[in-house]
DNA sequence: TAGGCCATCTGGTCCT
DNA sequence: AGGACCAGATGGCCTA
């Protein structure tokens, strides 16, 4: 946890706030109220920003949980997490596209067998199904992140 | 000790 | 006017 601080630029802006409008220094009451409200708004903005960043970090943690770690004991950095998520999504997309292609092909084969070559179907489709499961598993488990 | 990563503060900009 | 988002600055912690 970092210490709370008010930096010099803010102090300067608060000071100029005191010398307002009529060229002379405002009444003490007016100035102190303005300073107080500015400081309050700043603190509120800081708190909001902290909450926002915490929300962002929670999202990063959730992303880390669903992205492959490849046995790394060290937590992925934010940048690495994004890179890994990107390559992982692209790999899954490729797998899905191939799965669709394979299933479309299988559908055609079933149709063809039903209507034209019933006698030679079973051996062929059985062989096809067994063959198609392997490449998916192979691809999924051999997935390596792309580098961008 | 340098470099990487991170949390926080801050001011600017845009939106409601 | 006030909130959300963003990017720059700063300083702390950790590791090679």
């Amino acid at each position: 946890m970092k210490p709370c601080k008010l930096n010099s630029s803010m102090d300067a802006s608060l000071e100029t706030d005191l010398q307002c409008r009529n060229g002379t220094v405002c009444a003490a009451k007016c100035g102190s109220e303005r300073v107080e409200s500015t400081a309050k708004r700043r603190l509120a903005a800081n708190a909001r920003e902290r909450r926002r960043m915490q929300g962002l970090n929670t999202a990063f943690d959730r992303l880390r949980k669903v992205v492959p770690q490849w046995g790394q004991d060290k937590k992925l950095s934010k940048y690495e997490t994004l890179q890994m998520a990107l390559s992982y999504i692209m790999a899954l997309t490729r797998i899905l596209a191939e799965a669709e292609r394979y299933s479309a092909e299988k559908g055609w084969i079933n149709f063809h067998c039903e209507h034209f070559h019933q006698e030679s179907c079973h051996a062929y489709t059985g062989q096809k199904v067994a063959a198609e499961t392997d490449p998916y598993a192979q691809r999924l488990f051999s997935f390596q992140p792309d580098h961008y």
Side-chain angles (χ1 to χ4, degrees):
Chain A
M1 186 59 129
K2 311 272 168 148
C4 182
K5 59 168 185 182
L6 289 175
N7 77 7
S8 54
S9 67
M10 182 174 170
D11 292 344
S13 76
L14 294 180
E15 257 175 52
T16 56
D17 263 0
L18 286 174
Q19 298 177 352
C20 50
R21 314 300 181 260
N22 58 7
T24 61
V25 174
C26 282
K29 184 166 178 284
C30 162
S32 70
E33 275 175 8
R34 182 180 290 269
V35 168
E36 205 175 316
S37 103
T38 304
K40 265 187 188 168
R41 269 188 284 119
R42 227 318 115 199
L43 290 177
N46 291 348
R48 279 196 305 276
E49 179 65 7
R50 239 177 287 132
R51 278 197 300 275
R52 196 182 71 82
M53 293 309 293
Q54 279 161 10
L56 192 61
N57 289 335
T58 303
F60 266 106
D61 285 339
R62 291 174 66 187
L63 190 56
R64 274 187 197 103
K65 282 190 181 131
V66 299
V67 139
Q69 290 269 117
W70 307 116
Q72 278 196 5
D73 48 346
K74 192 169 150 276
K75 180 173 130 178
L76 290 177
S77 72
K78 292 177 180 179
Y79 177 76
E80 287 167 342
T81 303
L82 288 180
Q83 298 286 66
M84 181 59 85
L86 178 59
S87 349
Y88 189 44
I89 288 168
M90 291 182 79
L92 292 177
T93 303
R94 277 201 299 273
I95 290 170
L96 198 56
E98 287 196 27
E100 277 170 6
R101 194 163 59 77
Y102 272 98
S103 67
E105 194 178 316
K106 206 175 84 183
W108 184 87
I109 288 166
N110 286 341
F111 175 82
H112 188 75
C113 288
E114 256 175 50
H115 294 274
F116 303 105
H117 298 289
Q118 291 190 357
E119 70 286 352
S120 61
C121 263
H122 298 301
Y124 184 68
T125 52
Q127 205 177 20
K128 194 75 189 169
V129 168
E132 79 183 14
T133 54
D134 276 348
Y136 295 156
Q138 240 177 5
R139 276 195 184 79
L140 189 58
F141 293 116
S142 67
F143 162 73
Q144 291 294 324
D146 294 333
H147 298 289
Y148 298 96

